[in-house]
PDB file of all heavy atoms in Angstrom:
ATOM      1  N   ILE A   1    -158.430  47.531  59.411  1.00 87.00           N
ATOM      2  CA  ILE A   1    -157.452  47.997  58.461  1.00 87.00           C
ATOM      3  C   ILE A   1    -157.913  49.341  57.872  1.00 87.00           C
ATOM      4  O   ILE A   1    -159.024  49.429  57.384  1.00 87.00           O
ATOM      5  CB  ILE A   1    -157.244  46.987  57.320  1.00 87.00           C
ATOM      6  CG1 ILE A   1    -156.651  45.733  57.885  1.00 87.00           C
ATOM      7  CG2 ILE A   1    -156.309  47.575  56.253  1.00 87.00           C
ATOM      8  CD1 ILE A   1    -156.631  44.559  56.938  1.00 87.00           C
ATOM      9  N   ASP A   2    -157.088  50.363  57.981  1.00 84.00           N
ATOM     10  CA  ASP A   2    -157.384  51.664  57.423  1.00 84.00           C
ATOM     11  C   ASP A   2    -157.103  51.628  55.910  1.00 84.00           C
ATOM     12  O   ASP A   2    -156.122  50.992  55.481  1.00 84.00           O
ATOM     13  CB  ASP A   2    -156.550  52.718  58.116  1.00 84.00           C
ATOM     14  CG  ASP A   2    -156.926  54.133  57.681  1.00 84.00           C
ATOM     15  OD1 ASP A   2    -157.867  54.682  58.260  1.00 84.00           O
ATOM     16  OD2 ASP A   2    -156.306  54.607  56.729  1.00 84.00           O
ATOM     17  N   LYS A   3    -157.917  52.309  55.117  1.00 80.00           N
ATOM     18  CA  LYS A   3    -157.739  52.296  53.649  1.00 80.00           C
ATOM     19  C   LYS A   3    -156.353  52.804  53.243  1.00 80.00           C
ATOM     20  O   LYS A   3    -155.790  52.341  52.255  1.00 80.00           O
ATOM     21  CB  LYS A   3    -158.837  53.085  52.971  1.00 80.00           C
ATOM     22  CG  LYS A   3    -160.145  52.374  52.945  1.00 80.00           C
ATOM     23  CD  LYS A   3    -161.180  53.095  52.108  1.00 80.00           C
ATOM     24  CE  LYS A   3    -162.490  52.351  52.151  1.00 80.00           C
ATOM     25  NZ  LYS A   3    -163.488  52.957  51.282  1.00 80.00           N
ATOM     26  N   SER A   4    -155.776  53.709  54.047  1.00 83.00           N
ATOM     27  CA  SER A   4    -154.430  54.227  53.693  1.00 83.00           C
ATOM     28  C   SER A   4    -153.379  53.121  53.784  1.00 83.00           C
ATOM     29  O   SER A   4    -152.365  53.162  53.111  1.00 83.00           O
ATOM     30  CB  SER A   4    -154.071  55.397  54.568  1.00 83.00           C
ATOM     31  OG  SER A   4    -153.927  54.994  55.905  1.00 83.00           O
ATOM     32  N   GLU A   5    -153.595  52.126  54.651  1.00 90.00           N
ATOM     33  CA  GLU A   5    -152.680  50.991  54.789  1.00 90.00           C
ATOM     34  C   GLU A   5    -152.732  50.063  53.611  1.00 90.00           C
ATOM     35  O   GLU A   5    -151.861  49.207  53.433  1.00 90.00           O
ATOM     36  CB  GLU A   5    -153.018  50.194  56.067  1.00 90.00           C
ATOM     37  CG  GLU A   5    -152.788  50.981  57.344  1.00 90.00           C
ATOM     38  CD  GLU A   5    -153.235  50.170  58.537  1.00 90.00           C
ATOM     39  OE1 GLU A   5    -154.442  50.172  58.836  1.00 90.00           O
ATOM     40  OE2 GLU A   5    -152.388  49.499  59.137  1.00 90.00           O
ATOM     41  N   ALA A   6    -153.753  50.205  52.762  1.00 95.00           N
ATOM     42  CA  ALA A   6    -153.924  49.306  51.629  1.00 95.00           C
ATOM     43  C   ALA A   6    -153.204  49.802  50.395  1.00 95.00           C
ATOM     44  O   ALA A   6    -153.125  49.103  49.402  1.00 95.00           O
ATOM     45  CB  ALA A   6    -155.419  49.159  51.334  1.00 95.00           C
ATOM     46  N   ARG A   7    -152.605  51.013  50.447  1.00 96.00           N
ATOM     47  CA  ARG A   7    -151.907  51.555  49.316  1.00 96.00           C
ATOM     48  C   ARG A   7    -150.602  50.736  49.122  1.00 96.00           C
ATOM     49  O   ARG A   7    -149.833  50.480  50.023  1.00 96.00           O
ATOM     50  CB  ARG A   7    -151.547  53.025  49.520  1.00 96.00           C
ATOM     51  CG  ARG A   7    -150.867  53.601  48.336  1.00 96.00           C
ATOM     52  CD  ARG A   7    -150.579  55.079  48.528  1.00 96.00           C
ATOM     53  NE  ARG A   7    -150.085  55.613  47.280  1.00 96.00           N
ATOM     54  CZ  ARG A   7    -150.238  56.843  46.881  1.00 96.00           C
ATOM     55  NH1 ARG A   7    -150.866  57.696  47.655  1.00 96.00           N
ATOM     56  NH2 ARG A   7    -149.768  57.247  45.735  1.00 96.00           N
ATOM     57  N   ILE A   8    -150.351  50.316  47.868  1.00 97.00           N
ATOM     58  CA  ILE A   8    -149.182  49.523  47.513  1.00 97.00           C
ATOM     59  C   ILE A   8    -147.917  50.397  47.579  1.00 97.00           C
ATOM     60  O   ILE A   8    -147.876  51.482  46.962  1.00 97.00           O
ATOM     61  CB  ILE A   8    -149.321  48.915  46.111  1.00 97.00           C
ATOM     62  CG1 ILE A   8    -150.508  48.012  46.010  1.00 97.00           C
ATOM     63  CG2 ILE A   8    -148.028  48.201  45.694  1.00 97.00           C
ATOM     64  CD1 ILE A   8    -150.384  46.711  46.717  1.00 97.00           C
ATOM     65  N   ASP A   9    -146.913  49.898  48.255  1.00 97.00           N
ATOM     66  CA  ASP A   9    -145.590  50.519  48.241  1.00 97.00           C
ATOM     67  C   ASP A   9    -144.740  49.604  47.340  1.00 97.00           C
ATOM     68  O   ASP A   9    -144.271  48.538  47.773  1.00 97.00           O
ATOM     69  CB  ASP A   9    -145.026  50.580  49.668  1.00 97.00           C
ATOM     70  CG  ASP A   9    -143.596  51.122  49.707  1.00 97.00           C
ATOM     71  OD1 ASP A   9    -143.000  51.345  48.631  1.00 97.00           O
ATOM     72  OD2 ASP A   9    -143.074  51.268  50.814  1.00 97.00           O
ATOM     73  N   TRP A  10    -144.552  50.007  46.113  1.00 98.00           N
ATOM     74  CA  TRP A  10    -143.855  49.202  45.133  1.00 98.00           C
ATOM     75  C   TRP A  10    -142.386  49.006  45.436  1.00 98.00           C
ATOM     76  O   TRP A  10    -141.770  48.136  44.833  1.00 98.00           O
ATOM     77  CB  TRP A  10    -144.050  49.799  43.729  1.00 98.00           C
ATOM     78  CG  TRP A  10    -145.465  49.744  43.273  1.00 98.00           C
ATOM     79  CD1 TRP A  10    -146.336  50.808  43.203  1.00 98.00           C
ATOM     80  CD2 TRP A  10    -146.195  48.590  42.860  1.00 98.00           C
ATOM     81  NE1 TRP A  10    -147.571  50.372  42.744  1.00 98.00           N
ATOM     82  CE2 TRP A  10    -147.533  49.030  42.539  1.00 98.00           C
ATOM     83  CE3 TRP A  10    -145.894  47.269  42.728  1.00 98.00           C
ATOM     84  CZ2 TRP A  10    -148.518  48.153  42.103  1.00 98.00           C
ATOM     85  CZ3 TRP A  10    -146.865  46.363  42.299  1.00 98.00           C
ATOM     86  CH2 TRP A  10    -148.165  46.836  41.965  1.00 98.00           C
ATOM     87  N   THR A  11    -141.826  49.760  46.373  1.00 98.00           N
ATOM     88  CA  THR A  11    -140.422  49.544  46.743  1.00 98.00           C
ATOM     89  C   THR A  11    -140.230  48.319  47.633  1.00 98.00           C
ATOM     90  O   THR A  11    -139.110  47.835  47.855  1.00 98.00           O
ATOM     91  CB  THR A  11    -139.828  50.764  47.461  1.00 98.00           C
ATOM     92  OG1 THR A  11    -140.486  50.980  48.712  1.00 98.00           O
ATOM     93  CG2 THR A  11    -139.916  52.017  46.571  1.00 98.00           C
ATOM     94  N   LYS A  12    -141.334  47.747  48.125  1.00 98.00           N
ATOM     95  CA  LYS A  12    -141.246  46.518  48.915  1.00 98.00           C
ATOM     96  C   LYS A  12    -140.961  45.335  47.973  1.00 98.00           C
ATOM     97  O   LYS A  12    -141.102  45.464  46.769  1.00 98.00           O
ATOM     98  CB  LYS A  12    -142.545  46.305  49.697  1.00 98.00           C
ATOM     99  CG  LYS A  12    -142.777  47.295  50.789  1.00 98.00           C
ATOM    100  CD  LYS A  12    -143.975  46.951  51.596  1.00 98.00           C
ATOM    101  CE  LYS A  12    -144.143  47.918  52.768  1.00 98.00           C
ATOM    102  NZ  LYS A  12    -145.311  47.609  53.545  1.00 98.00           N
ATOM    103  N   SER A  13    -140.608  44.229  48.569  1.00 98.00           N
ATOM    104  CA  SER A  13    -140.307  43.027  47.775  1.00 98.00           C
ATOM    105  C   SER A  13    -141.595  42.513  47.084  1.00 98.00           C
ATOM    106  O   SER A  13    -142.703  42.749  47.576  1.00 98.00           O
ATOM    107  CB  SER A  13    -139.709  41.915  48.634  1.00 98.00           C
ATOM    108  OG  SER A  13    -140.705  41.360  49.476  1.00 98.00           O
ATOM    109  N   ALA A  14    -141.406  41.769  46.027  1.00 98.00           N
ATOM    110  CA  ALA A  14    -142.520  41.187  45.308  1.00 98.00           C
ATOM    111  C   ALA A  14    -143.330  40.274  46.244  1.00 98.00           C
ATOM    112  O   ALA A  14    -144.587  40.236  46.154  1.00 98.00           O
ATOM    113  CB  ALA A  14    -142.046  40.395  44.088  1.00 98.00           C
ATOM    114  N   ILE A  15    -142.654  39.556  47.118  1.00 98.00           N
ATOM    115  CA  ILE A  15    -143.371  38.665  48.065  1.00 98.00           C
ATOM    116  C   ILE A  15    -144.307  39.485  48.943  1.00 98.00           C
ATOM    117  O   ILE A  15    -145.466  39.116  49.141  1.00 98.00           O
ATOM    118  CB  ILE A  15    -142.368  37.848  48.881  1.00 98.00           C
ATOM    119  CG1 ILE A  15    -141.644  36.819  48.004  1.00 98.00           C
ATOM    120  CG2 ILE A  15    -143.051  37.170  50.049  1.00 98.00           C
ATOM    121  CD1 ILE A  15    -140.488  36.104  48.668  1.00 98.00           C
ATOM    122  N   GLU A  16    -143.804  40.613  49.468  1.00 98.00           N
ATOM    123  CA  GLU A  16    -144.642  41.450  50.337  1.00 98.00           C
ATOM    124  C   GLU A  16    -145.807  42.070  49.578  1.00 98.00           C
ATOM    125  O   GLU A  16    -146.926  42.106  50.084  1.00 98.00           O
ATOM    126  CB  GLU A  16    -143.787  42.563  50.967  1.00 98.00           C
ATOM    127  CG  GLU A  16    -142.783  42.097  51.969  1.00 98.00           C
ATOM    128  CD  GLU A  16    -141.864  43.213  52.454  1.00 98.00           C
ATOM    129  OE1 GLU A  16    -141.001  43.631  51.643  1.00 98.00           O
ATOM    130  OE2 GLU A  16    -142.040  43.659  53.602  1.00 98.00           O
ATOM    131  N   VAL A  17    -145.572  42.570  48.389  1.00 98.00           N
ATOM    132  CA  VAL A  17    -146.638  43.162  47.573  1.00 98.00           C
ATOM    133  C   VAL A  17    -147.676  42.158  47.211  1.00 98.00           C
ATOM    134  O   VAL A  17    -148.885  42.380  47.350  1.00 98.00           O
ATOM    135  CB  VAL A  17    -146.058  43.858  46.338  1.00 98.00           C
ATOM    136  CG1 VAL A  17    -147.159  44.313  45.368  1.00 98.00           C
ATOM    137  CG2 VAL A  17    -145.164  45.042  46.710  1.00 98.00           C
ATOM    138  N   ASP A  18    -147.228  40.953  46.765  1.00 98.00           N
ATOM    139  CA  ASP A  18    -148.161  39.891  46.431  1.00 98.00           C
ATOM    140  C   ASP A  18    -149.033  39.516  47.625  1.00 98.00           C
ATOM    141  O   ASP A  18    -150.276  39.387  47.521  1.00 98.00           O
ATOM    142  CB  ASP A  18    -147.394  38.664  45.933  1.00 98.00           C
ATOM    143  CG  ASP A  18    -148.251  37.470  45.653  1.00 98.00           C
ATOM    144  OD1 ASP A  18    -149.194  37.571  44.859  1.00 98.00           O
ATOM    145  OD2 ASP A  18    -147.985  36.406  46.253  1.00 98.00           O
ATOM    146  N   ARG A  19    -148.466  39.372  48.779  1.00 97.00           N
ATOM    147  CA  ARG A  19    -149.222  39.035  49.995  1.00 97.00           C
ATOM    148  C   ARG A  19    -150.181  40.151  50.380  1.00 97.00           C
ATOM    149  O   ARG A  19    -151.294  39.852  50.867  1.00 97.00           O
ATOM    150  CB  ARG A  19    -148.283  38.695  51.131  1.00 97.00           C
ATOM    151  CG  ARG A  19    -147.587  37.366  50.896  1.00 97.00           C
ATOM    152  CD  ARG A  19    -146.607  37.034  52.001  1.00 97.00           C
ATOM    153  NE  ARG A  19    -145.943  35.743  51.769  1.00 97.00           N
ATOM    154  CZ  ARG A  19    -144.958  35.288  52.448  1.00 97.00           C
ATOM    155  NH1 ARG A  19    -144.432  36.033  53.420  1.00 97.00           N
ATOM    156  NH2 ARG A  19    -144.395  34.145  52.138  1.00 97.00           N
ATOM    157  N   GLN A  20    -149.754  41.405  50.219  1.00 97.00           N
ATOM    158  CA  GLN A  20    -150.666  42.513  50.530  1.00 97.00           C
ATOM    159  C   GLN A  20    -151.876  42.473  49.608  1.00 97.00           C
ATOM    160  O   GLN A  20    -153.003  42.630  50.076  1.00 97.00           O
ATOM    161  CB  GLN A  20    -149.911  43.817  50.399  1.00 97.00           C
ATOM    162  CG  GLN A  20    -150.783  45.040  50.708  1.00 97.00           C
ATOM    163  CD  GLN A  20    -150.063  46.354  50.548  1.00 97.00           C
ATOM    164  OE1 GLN A  20    -148.967  46.412  49.963  1.00 97.00           O
ATOM    165  NE2 GLN A  20    -150.664  47.405  51.006  1.00 97.00           N
ATOM    166  N   ILE A  21    -151.645  42.301  48.321  1.00 98.00           N
ATOM    167  CA  ILE A  21    -152.764  42.287  47.377  1.00 98.00           C
ATOM    168  C   ILE A  21    -153.713  41.148  47.718  1.00 98.00           C
ATOM    169  O   ILE A  21    -154.930  41.374  47.827  1.00 98.00           O
ATOM    170  CB  ILE A  21    -152.230  42.151  45.922  1.00 98.00           C
ATOM    171  CG1 ILE A  21    -151.485  43.443  45.536  1.00 98.00           C
ATOM    172  CG2 ILE A  21    -153.373  41.871  44.933  1.00 98.00           C
ATOM    173  CD1 ILE A  21    -150.679  43.315  44.224  1.00 98.00           C
ATOM    174  N   ARG A  22    -153.216  39.925  47.848  1.00 97.00           N
ATOM    175  CA  ARG A  22    -154.064  38.795  48.122  1.00 97.00           C
ATOM    176  C   ARG A  22    -154.726  38.864  49.502  1.00 97.00           C
ATOM    177  O   ARG A  22    -155.867  38.475  49.690  1.00 97.00           O
ATOM    178  CB  ARG A  22    -153.306  37.495  47.964  1.00 97.00           C
ATOM    179  CG  ARG A  22    -152.909  37.228  46.493  1.00 97.00           C
ATOM    180  CD  ARG A  22    -152.140  35.911  46.277  1.00 97.00           C
ATOM    181  NE  ARG A  22    -150.923  35.801  47.018  1.00 97.00           N
ATOM    182  CZ  ARG A  22    -150.775  34.972  48.074  1.00 97.00           C
ATOM    183  NH1 ARG A  22    -151.745  34.192  48.477  1.00 97.00           N
ATOM    184  NH2 ARG A  22    -149.612  34.926  48.732  1.00 97.00           N
ATOM    185  N   GLY A  23    -153.984  39.399  50.478  1.00 95.00           N
ATOM    186  CA  GLY A  23    -154.512  39.478  51.843  1.00 95.00           C
ATOM    187  C   GLY A  23    -155.589  40.515  52.001  1.00 95.00           C
ATOM    188  O   GLY A  23    -156.389  40.424  52.942  1.00 95.00           O
ATOM    189  N   LEU A  24    -155.645  41.537  51.126  1.00 96.00           N
ATOM    190  CA  LEU A  24    -156.659  42.572  51.248  1.00 96.00           C
ATOM    191  C   LEU A  24    -157.734  42.436  50.201  1.00 96.00           C
ATOM    192  O   LEU A  24    -158.563  43.337  50.039  1.00 96.00           O
ATOM    193  CB  LEU A  24    -155.991  43.947  51.134  1.00 96.00           C
ATOM    194  CG  LEU A  24    -155.008  44.302  52.223  1.00 96.00           C
ATOM    195  CD1 LEU A  24    -154.353  45.649  51.966  1.00 96.00           C
ATOM    196  CD2 LEU A  24    -155.691  44.290  53.614  1.00 96.00           C
ATOM    197  N   SER A  25    -157.807  41.302  49.524  1.00 96.00           N
ATOM    198  CA  SER A  25    -158.811  41.068  48.500  1.00 96.00           C
ATOM    199  C   SER A  25    -159.959  40.226  49.037  1.00 96.00           C
ATOM    200  O   SER A  25    -159.695  39.162  49.609  1.00 96.00           O
ATOM    201  CB  SER A  25    -158.186  40.353  47.286  1.00 96.00           C
ATOM    202  OG  SER A  25    -159.156  40.091  46.309  1.00 96.00           O
ATOM    203  N   PRO A  26    -161.158  40.663  48.936  1.00 92.00           N
ATOM    204  CA  PRO A  26    -161.637  41.799  48.170  1.00 92.00           C
ATOM    205  C   PRO A  26    -161.761  43.114  48.950  1.00 92.00           C
ATOM    206  O   PRO A  26    -161.920  44.155  48.351  1.00 92.00           O
ATOM    207  CB  PRO A  26    -163.021  41.335  47.710  1.00 92.00           C
ATOM    208  CG  PRO A  26    -163.516  40.559  48.872  1.00 92.00           C
ATOM    209  CD  PRO A  26    -162.284  39.845  49.414  1.00 92.00           C
ATOM    210  N   PHE A  27    -161.691  43.054  50.264  1.00 90.00           N
ATOM    211  CA  PHE A  27    -161.882  44.300  51.028  1.00 90.00           C
ATOM    212  C   PHE A  27    -160.803  44.471  52.042  1.00 90.00           C
ATOM    213  O   PHE A  27    -160.406  43.481  52.726  1.00 90.00           O
ATOM    214  CB  PHE A  27    -163.250  44.245  51.747  1.00 90.00           C
ATOM    215  CG  PHE A  27    -163.598  45.497  52.426  1.00 90.00           C
ATOM    216  CD1 PHE A  27    -164.091  46.586  51.741  1.00 90.00           C
ATOM    217  CD2 PHE A  27    -163.350  45.658  53.794  1.00 90.00           C
ATOM    218  CE1 PHE A  27    -164.387  47.768  52.352  1.00 90.00           C
ATOM    219  CE2 PHE A  27    -163.628  46.831  54.425  1.00 90.00           C
ATOM    220  CZ  PHE A  27    -164.147  47.897  53.732  1.00 90.00           C
TER     221      PHE A  27
END
């Protein structure tokens, strides 16, 4: 995973953002 892919796109749905945050935690 490239660090640029980890940037949050807030226009996505809450479900997608939540999964992105939890899926990329901690690294």
Side-chain angles (χ1 to χ4, degrees):
I1 297 169
D2 186 86
K3 285 187 180 184
S4 66
E5 295 175 275
R7 184 178 187 149
I8 299 288
D9 176 355
W10 294 105
T11 64
K12 291 185 176 181
S13 72
I15 291 171
E16 291 173 287
V17 172
D18 175 56
R19 289 178 180 170
Q20 180 182 12
I21 292 168
R22 292 182 302 108
L24 297 176
S25 178
F27 185 81

